[in-house]
Short mmCIF file of all heavy atoms in Angstrom, two decimals:
data_model
loop_
_atom_site.label_atom_id
_atom_site.label_comp_id
_atom_site.label_asym_id
_atom_site.label_seq_id
_atom_site.Cartn_x
_atom_site.Cartn_y
_atom_site.Cartn_z
N GLN A 31 -2.01 -16.49 -24.02
CA GLN A 31 -1.29 -17.55 -24.71
C GLN A 31 0.21 -17.53 -24.40
O GLN A 31 0.91 -18.50 -24.68
CB GLN A 31 -1.49 -17.41 -26.22
CG GLN A 31 -2.95 -17.45 -26.64
CD GLN A 31 -3.64 -18.75 -26.27
OE1 GLN A 31 -3.06 -19.82 -26.37
NE2 GLN A 31 -4.89 -18.66 -25.82
N ASP A 32 0.71 -16.43 -23.85
CA ASP A 32 2.13 -16.35 -23.52
C ASP A 32 2.33 -15.45 -22.30
O ASP A 32 1.40 -14.77 -21.85
CB ASP A 32 2.96 -15.84 -24.70
CG ASP A 32 2.46 -14.50 -25.25
OD1 ASP A 32 2.21 -13.60 -24.42
OD2 ASP A 32 2.32 -14.37 -26.47
N ALA A 33 3.56 -15.44 -21.78
CA ALA A 33 3.87 -14.69 -20.56
C ALA A 33 3.74 -13.19 -20.78
O ALA A 33 3.35 -12.45 -19.86
CB ALA A 33 5.28 -15.04 -20.08
N ASP A 34 4.06 -12.69 -21.98
CA ASP A 34 3.98 -11.26 -22.26
C ASP A 34 2.54 -10.77 -22.13
O ASP A 34 2.28 -9.71 -21.56
CB ASP A 34 4.52 -10.97 -23.66
CG ASP A 34 4.51 -9.49 -23.98
OD1 ASP A 34 5.14 -8.72 -23.22
OD2 ASP A 34 3.87 -9.09 -24.97
N GLN A 35 1.59 -11.54 -22.63
CA GLN A 35 0.18 -11.17 -22.52
C GLN A 35 -0.28 -11.23 -21.06
O GLN A 35 -1.01 -10.36 -20.59
CB GLN A 35 -0.68 -12.11 -23.37
CG GLN A 35 -2.18 -11.94 -23.20
CD GLN A 35 -2.67 -10.58 -23.66
OE1 GLN A 35 -2.08 -9.96 -24.54
NE2 GLN A 35 -3.75 -10.09 -23.06
N PHE A 36 0.18 -12.23 -20.32
CA PHE A 36 -0.24 -12.39 -18.93
C PHE A 36 0.29 -11.27 -18.04
O PHE A 36 -0.40 -10.82 -17.13
CB PHE A 36 0.27 -13.74 -18.40
CG PHE A 36 -0.26 -14.11 -17.04
CD1 PHE A 36 -1.45 -14.81 -16.91
CD2 PHE A 36 0.43 -13.76 -15.89
CE1 PHE A 36 -1.95 -15.16 -15.66
CE2 PHE A 36 -0.06 -14.09 -14.63
CZ PHE A 36 -1.25 -14.80 -14.52
N THR A 37 1.52 -10.79 -18.31
CA THR A 37 2.14 -9.81 -17.42
C THR A 37 1.96 -8.36 -17.86
O THR A 37 1.89 -7.45 -17.02
CB THR A 37 3.64 -10.10 -17.27
OG1 THR A 37 4.26 -10.08 -18.58
CG2 THR A 37 3.88 -11.45 -16.63
N THR A 38 1.89 -8.09 -19.17
CA THR A 38 1.80 -6.70 -19.64
C THR A 38 0.64 -6.45 -20.61
O THR A 38 0.54 -5.36 -21.17
CB THR A 38 3.11 -6.27 -20.34
OG1 THR A 38 3.29 -7.05 -21.54
CG2 THR A 38 4.31 -6.47 -19.43
N ALA A 39 -0.21 -7.45 -20.83
CA ALA A 39 -1.33 -7.31 -21.77
C ALA A 39 -0.85 -6.89 -23.15
O ALA A 39 -1.56 -6.20 -23.89
CB ALA A 39 -2.37 -6.32 -21.24
N SER A 40 0.39 -7.28 -23.47
CA SER A 40 1.02 -7.00 -24.77
C SER A 40 1.11 -5.51 -25.07
O SER A 40 1.25 -5.10 -26.23
CB SER A 40 0.26 -7.72 -25.91
OG SER A 40 0.30 -9.12 -25.71
N GLY A 41 1.06 -4.66 -24.04
CA GLY A 41 1.26 -3.22 -24.22
C GLY A 41 0.21 -2.52 -25.04
O GLY A 41 0.52 -1.58 -25.77
N LYS A 42 -1.07 -2.92 -24.88
CA LYS A 42 -2.12 -2.34 -25.72
C LYS A 42 -3.26 -1.69 -24.92
O LYS A 42 -4.34 -1.44 -25.45
CB LYS A 42 -2.71 -3.43 -26.63
CG LYS A 42 -1.70 -4.03 -27.60
CD LYS A 42 -2.31 -5.13 -28.44
CE LYS A 42 -1.29 -5.73 -29.40
NZ LYS A 42 -1.87 -6.84 -30.19
N ILE A 43 -3.02 -1.38 -23.65
CA ILE A 43 -4.06 -0.80 -22.81
C ILE A 43 -3.98 0.72 -22.89
O ILE A 43 -2.90 1.30 -22.78
CB ILE A 43 -3.90 -1.25 -21.35
CG1 ILE A 43 -3.84 -2.78 -21.27
CG2 ILE A 43 -5.05 -0.71 -20.50
CD1 ILE A 43 -5.10 -3.47 -21.68
N PRO A 44 -5.12 1.44 -23.08
CA PRO A 44 -5.08 2.91 -23.14
C PRO A 44 -4.68 3.51 -21.79
O PRO A 44 -4.95 2.95 -20.73
CB PRO A 44 -6.52 3.29 -23.52
CG PRO A 44 -7.35 2.10 -23.17
CD PRO A 44 -6.46 0.91 -23.34
N GLY A 45 -4.07 4.70 -21.84
CA GLY A 45 -3.56 5.33 -20.63
C GLY A 45 -4.63 5.63 -19.60
O GLY A 45 -4.40 5.52 -18.40
N TRP A 46 -5.85 6.04 -20.05
CA TRP A 46 -6.91 6.37 -19.09
C TRP A 46 -7.31 5.14 -18.28
O TRP A 46 -7.63 5.25 -17.07
CB TRP A 46 -8.13 6.96 -19.79
CG TRP A 46 -8.83 6.02 -20.74
CD1 TRP A 46 -8.64 5.90 -22.08
CD2 TRP A 46 -9.85 5.08 -20.40
NE1 TRP A 46 -9.45 4.93 -22.61
CE2 TRP A 46 -10.22 4.42 -21.61
CE3 TRP A 46 -10.50 4.72 -19.22
CZ2 TRP A 46 -11.20 3.42 -21.65
CZ3 TRP A 46 -11.48 3.73 -19.26
CH2 TRP A 46 -11.82 3.10 -20.45
N ALA A 47 -7.30 3.96 -18.92
CA ALA A 47 -7.64 2.74 -18.20
C ALA A 47 -6.57 2.39 -17.17
O ALA A 47 -6.87 1.95 -16.05
CB ALA A 47 -7.84 1.58 -19.17
N ILE A 48 -5.30 2.62 -17.54
CA ILE A 48 -4.21 2.38 -16.59
C ILE A 48 -4.32 3.33 -15.41
O ILE A 48 -4.12 2.95 -14.25
CB ILE A 48 -2.84 2.55 -17.28
CG1 ILE A 48 -2.71 1.58 -18.46
CG2 ILE A 48 -1.71 2.32 -16.29
CD1 ILE A 48 -2.81 0.13 -18.08
N GLY A 49 -4.65 4.60 -15.69
CA GLY A 49 -4.81 5.57 -14.61
C GLY A 49 -5.90 5.16 -13.64
O GLY A 49 -5.73 5.25 -12.41
N LEU A 50 -7.03 4.69 -14.17
CA LEU A 50 -8.11 4.23 -13.29
C LEU A 50 -7.71 3.00 -12.51
O LEU A 50 -8.10 2.82 -11.35
CB LEU A 50 -9.37 3.95 -14.12
CG LEU A 50 -10.17 5.16 -14.58
CD1 LEU A 50 -11.29 4.75 -15.51
CD2 LEU A 50 -10.74 5.91 -13.38
N SER A 51 -6.92 2.12 -13.14
CA SER A 51 -6.50 0.91 -12.42
C SER A 51 -5.51 1.24 -11.31
O SER A 51 -5.56 0.64 -10.22
CB SER A 51 -5.88 -0.10 -13.40
OG SER A 51 -4.58 0.30 -13.81
N ILE A 52 -4.61 2.21 -11.55
CA ILE A 52 -3.68 2.63 -10.49
C ILE A 52 -4.46 3.29 -9.36
O ILE A 52 -4.20 3.05 -8.17
CB ILE A 52 -2.61 3.58 -11.05
CG1 ILE A 52 -1.73 2.86 -12.09
CG2 ILE A 52 -1.73 4.12 -9.93
CD1 ILE A 52 -0.71 3.76 -12.76
N TYR A 53 -5.43 4.13 -9.73
CA TYR A 53 -6.30 4.75 -8.73
C TYR A 53 -7.02 3.70 -7.89
O TYR A 53 -7.09 3.79 -6.66
CB TYR A 53 -7.30 5.65 -9.44
CG TYR A 53 -8.55 5.99 -8.66
CD1 TYR A 53 -8.51 6.85 -7.57
CD2 TYR A 53 -9.79 5.45 -9.03
CE1 TYR A 53 -9.65 7.17 -6.86
CE2 TYR A 53 -10.94 5.76 -8.33
CZ TYR A 53 -10.87 6.61 -7.24
OH TYR A 53 -12.00 6.91 -6.54
N ALA A 54 -7.53 2.65 -8.55
CA ALA A 54 -8.23 1.59 -7.83
C ALA A 54 -7.29 0.83 -6.91
O ALA A 54 -7.69 0.39 -5.83
CB ALA A 54 -8.89 0.63 -8.83
#
Side-chain angles (χ1 to χ4, degrees):
Q31 302 300 321
D32 54 47
D34 183 58
Q35 173 64 28
F36 188 89
T37 57
T38 65
S40 299
K42 297 178 180 178
I43 306 294
W46 64 266
I48 301 300
L50 283 174
S51 75
I52 296 176
Y53 159 72

